[in-house]
Every structure is written in structure tokens, then in C-alpha cells.
Amino acid sequence: MASSMSGMFSGQQPSVPHPSGAPGAPGQPGLLPGPPGSRCQSNNTLVDDLEASFEACFASLVSQDYVNGTDQEEIRTGVDQCIQKFLDVARQTECFFLQKRLQLSVQKPEQVVKEDVSELRNELQRKELLIQKHLTKIHNWQQVLEDINIQHKKPTELPQGPLAFLEQASANIPAPMKQN
């Protein structure tokens, strides 16, 4: 894999695509520094550029020049430029990884299948855990409903009728004591 990365070391945008169109052609951005003697115009890698642009974004937000500055439009423009550069370098980095993923899928298709199987197994485990969680909740709610039904059945066993409540209430009143 390192041999396929040897030509991808300039942090600049490709000016002219390589005739073969293969990732790793000279002029393509890369993540790792090139070997001695490679055709690099710059020693910056995409990771270095990404880090530098992130630091520039952060620095622009906390810079004293911007804090003491009075022109809000100038401040906004400077911050927007830093963020745009960061987003551009992030896109280039994403493109690099997508190219490497494409190379891997062409060179080792069984590796891609293994990764897909692994992802499917992980998703299946996650869904099994989710099902168990829902079954536990269902069981808890069924128990709550059973408890409510048991509580409601007790009053129905009492005598029914318009005077039943008064008869039951008067039965609970103690009888008056006789005085001698």
C-alpha cells in the first residue's frame, strides 16, 4: 500500500490529471511525505494542510486583531476565508481516502466483502440488543397493566346497586355504646 502512495505527496490541487487517471499520479494530493527524490513541489501533506487550516480557523476566532477590530465585514471575510480553506482541505482529504478505498476494492475485493460482513454482523448485534431492550419494556408495561387490572377487579366483587355503597360504609361504623 505504501508503494501506491509514493506519488501522492503534494498538498496542492492537481493541475492536470495524470494520463492513466490512476490515484497516486504526480500532482495528486497525498497524506504522507514522499520518498527522497520524488517530484514534490511542497513538503506539505493533506494532513499538515488540514491541521494548519484548522489552527488558522481557531486563531482567526480568538485573534486580538479581530477582537480589537472595528470593521465587522473585514472580520467576517477573514473568518469565512479561513473556514472555506479548511473545508476545501477537508474535501481533498476525504477524496484521498475515497480514492484509497476504491483502490482497495479493486485490488482486494475480498477485503471489502469481509468489511461488509463485519458491518452487517455489528448491525445485527445492535438490533438484537434493541429488540431485547424493547421486550424488557413491553414486559414491564404488561406487568403494570396486570397490576392495574387486579386492583380494578377487587371493587367489582363488592355488591352492586344504589344503596350498596351506603350499606358498606355503615357497616364499617362502630356501633354506639350503651350507657348504664
Side-chain angles (χ1 to χ4, degrees):
M1 180 105 175
S3 64
S4 65
M5 289 188 208
S6 63
M8 301 176 52
F9 305 115
S10 170
Q12 301 172 353
Q13 285 280 30
S15 54
V16 177
H18 191 265
S20 67
Q28 291 273 8
L31 289 175
L32 303 173
S38 65
R39 292 192 225 162
C40 292
Q41 298 173 351
S42 167
N43 282 337
N44 286 348
T45 64
L46 283 175
V47 173
D48 292 336
D49 289 347
L50 188 66
E51 183 180 5
S53 63
F54 177 75
E55 289 172 358
C57 286
F58 189 69
S60 69
L61 294 173
V62 296
S63 172
Q64 280 298 329
D65 295 339
Y66 289 138
V67 172
N68 297 332
T70 56
D71 186 13
Q72 293 293 321
E73 192 60 34
E74 181 181 329
I75 294 170
R76 182 172 290 133
T77 303
V79 171
D80 285 345
Q81 287 175 348
C82 289
I83 290 173
Q84 189 60 44
K85 179 170 173 41
F86 175 74
L87 292 174
D88 288 343
V89 175
R91 283 188 201 103
Q92 290 175 12
T93 305
E94 181 183 21
C95 183
F96 173 81
F97 282 111
L98 289 173
Q99 287 173 345
K100 288 298 165 187
R101 178 78 177 163
L102 179 64
Q103 276 183 340
L104 181 65
S105 69
V106 170
Q107 293 172 355
K108 297 183 178 182
E110 68 278 356
Q111 182 66 29
V112 175
V113 172
K114 285 180 185 177
E115 288 176 7
D116 289 344
V117 168
S118 175
E119 287 175 13
L120 289 172
R121 282 187 180 141
N122 289 338
E123 185 177 347
L124 188 60
Q125 286 178 340
R126 183 184 62 81
K127 288 183 178 182
E128 288 285 340
L129 289 173
L130 189 60
I131 289 171
Q132 290 300 320
K133 178 181 169 185
H134 286 299
L135 287 175
T136 303
K137 286 183 179 182
I138 288 172
H139 178 70
N140 289 340
W141 280 110
Q142 284 175 337
Q143 192 64 38
V144 168
L145 288 174
E146 285 179 20
D147 292 345
I148 291 173
N149 284 338
I150 290 172
Q151 289 175 357
H152 284 298
K153 285 182 180 177
K154 287 180 182 177
T156 59
E157 294 171 356
L158 298 175
Q160 297 293 321
L163 297 177
F165 178 74
L166 289 175
E167 289 173 1
Q168 186 177 5
S170 64
N172 292 334
I173 298 175
M177 293 196 171
K178 290 185 179 182
Q179 290 182 353
N180 289 15

